[in-house]
Amino acid sequence: MTATASRAAAALRQAAGRLRHGWRPVLQDTLAATVAWIIATRVAGHPLPFFAPAAALNVLAQARGRRIRRTAEVVIGVAVGVLVAELVVQALGPRTTGTVFAVLLLTVTLAVAFGASSVSTVQATLSALYLAVVSPPDETLVPVRFVDALIGGAVALVTSQVLSARRPLVPLAGQVRQTFAELAGVLDDTAEALRHGDQNGARAVLDRARHADAAVDRLRDATRAAGEGLRLTVRRRRGLGRLRWVEGSVRQVDLAVRDVRALVRAAVTLTRGDSPVPAELGDALHTLGQAVRAAGDALAAEVGGRERESAGHRARTEERALAAVRSAGRLFTGDATLPLAMVTGQVRDTAIDLLRAVDAGDDDAIPDRVDAAAAGH
């Protein structure tokens, strides 16, 4: 097989792999746009409902959790674009250079003046340009474009919620577990690198830790998506309460990720030194990883409405976190090196943010309990 054929075969395999993992969005986009077209033509009776499928695709292009806002932006953008196109075409006529210039200038100016988002600005401009060049508006088509955009946005919202309509919090619970599992894995691998004095291994873990913010971003996106699903669900009161609990924890999770990244950075420095790394430090990090996993289980159980199970995991989170702090605290002696002191300090900070993430008691009392554990109490 020639090199060109090999590259072509590899490209085809990659394309097939992408389709295996991405067929759901393809099917969703196609169905939503088609259904929007059918409703606009056969139910609403619109002759050329271009904006119905266009609006559906525009809304679905946005990540879940932002689609309600995107729908509003699309509809407002179409309304503004239609208004501008109507006024300009009436004054200058359709399909002229002056009309195109005026439509673009007025639409963008209005969008900027009123602080519109980039989505609204682009939608308004494209709508006005389409109506001024392709299909000039008249007195019967002005509201039709607006209704088409509304139909497309509504269809997109319904389509995007079909798979999670009955249990909109399930994907969030899965993302919670994944986020905390990734953070715990970083701690476990750091512990192994320290136990073996493996500088290269510690650096590899640091590279992972530097990308841990992406896990927090995915957790935020999953939280927004769950909120969007609940807002479109009739029976949602208890779910919204659980969602607020998770929303309040995300900030602390973000801080814990930063703490762990600083901890791994100090661990890399510690592996460069000539002094042996205390075995107890690896044990402390492994115990802290257990606390992180328990915190993830607590949040996931809370999302699922299993309050008793969540309380048990929260208790284990506190027990493991304080045990890790006690182990690290015993290493904080007068002859401790600066990197060792930094690692033990980050164990303390991670424990505090972790306990706050699961809301284990009064926030103001958590640092006192952690400091007491560091002192051996």
Side-chain angles (χ1 to χ4, degrees):
M1 182 180 291
T2 65
T4 302
S6 298
R7 287 194 294 269
L12 287 175
R13 286 194 296 270
Q14 290 178 352
R18 294 190 191 101
L19 286 176
R20 281 195 302 270
H21 292 91
W23 66 269
R24 287 180 184 273
V26 172
L27 182 62
Q28 184 184 67
D29 290 355
T30 304
L31 287 177
T34 304
V35 170
W37 174 271
I38 292 172
I39 292 175
T41 53
R42 300 185 182 179
V43 178
H46 298 170
L48 293 172
F50 169 82
F51 288 107
L57 294 174
N58 200 332
V59 171
L60 289 174
Q62 184 72 1
R64 290 190 64 223
R66 299 186 179 98
R67 289 174 177 170
I68 293 178
R69 179 176 179 179
R70 170 60 71 90
T71 300
E73 290 177 345
V74 168
V75 173
I76 292 172
V78 170
V80 172
V82 167
L83 176 62
V84 170
E86 173 72 13
L87 296 175
V88 173
V89 169
Q90 292 296 331
L92 302 178
R95 303 185 183 95
T96 68
T97 303
T99 299
V100 171
F101 176 80
V103 162
L104 293 175
L105 179 63
L106 289 175
T107 306
V108 175
T109 300
L110 284 173
V112 172
F114 286 98
S117 68
S118 58
V119 172
S120 296
T121 302
V122 171
Q123 188 63 48
T125 305
L126 291 178
S127 300
L129 193 60
Y130 176 84
L131 294 178
V133 176
V134 180
S135 179
D138 56 40
E139 64 276 5
T140 62
L141 290 181
V142 172
V144 169
R145 310 301 184 186
F146 180 86
V147 174
D148 285 344
L150 189 60
I151 289 172
V155 170
L157 285 178
V158 172
T159 304
S160 66
Q161 298 301 323
V162 166
L163 296 179
S164 61
R166 295 184 61 185
R167 304 177 69 187
L169 292 176
V170 170
L172 175 58
Q175 186 58 56
V176 166
R177 290 193 181 92
Q178 182 179 345
T179 300
F180 280 84
E182 290 181 18
L183 187 60
V186 169
L187 288 168
D188 289 342
D189 290 348
T190 304
E192 289 302 310
L194 289 175
R195 283 169 177 160
H196 297 91
D198 184 0
Q199 182 177 339
N200 291 331
R203 286 177 174 171
V205 180
L206 180 58
D207 288 337
R208 284 178 55 195
R210 285 170 175 162
H211 294 89
D213 290 333
V216 179
D217 291 338
R218 290 193 296 271
L219 181 57
R220 287 196 182 96
D221 290 341
T223 304
R224 282 192 290 264
E228 183 178 80
L230 288 172
R231 284 191 290 273
L232 296 173
T233 303
V234 176
R235 302 176 63 182
R236 64 192 184 194
R237 182 171 301 175
R238 294 187 62 189
L240 285 173
R242 297 197 296 269
L243 183 64
R244 283 192 290 270
W245 201 81
V246 176
E247 287 174 340
S249 301
V250 171
R251 179 178 179 274
Q252 297 302 143
V253 175
D254 188 20
L255 293 175
V257 166
R258 298 181 189 186
D259 295 333
V260 170
R261 185 162 53 242
L263 184 155
V264 179
R265 189 177 297 112
V268 172
T269 304
L270 191 59
T271 59
R272 294 199 197 106
D274 297 329
S275 302
V277 178
E280 295 83 359
L281 184 58
D283 295 337
L285 297 188
H286 180 67
T287 303
L288 188 59
Q290 293 175 339
V292 170
R293 287 190 173 88
D297 291 337
L299 283 174
E302 185 69 26
V303 169
R306 303 185 300 276
E307 289 83 2
R308 182 175 298 181
E309 181 182 339
S310 178
H313 290 306
R314 289 201 301 271
R316 177 167 173 77
T317 299
E318 182 164 5
E319 184 268 325
R320 293 283 80 192
L322 295 183
V325 171
R326 289 191 191 95
S327 297
R330 287 193 288 269
L331 302 174
F332 192 71
T333 60
D335 58 350
T337 63
L338 180 59
L340 179 59
M342 292 175 65
V343 173
T344 57
Q346 291 303 325
V347 169
R348 170 194 177 273
D349 291 346
T350 304
I352 290 174
D353 289 321
L354 197 61
L355 293 179
R356 283 176 169 166
V358 298
D359 197 21
D362 184 4
D363 277 4
D364 294 336
I366 288 175
D368 294 336
R369 294 205 306 278
V370 171
D371 287 341
H377 301 308

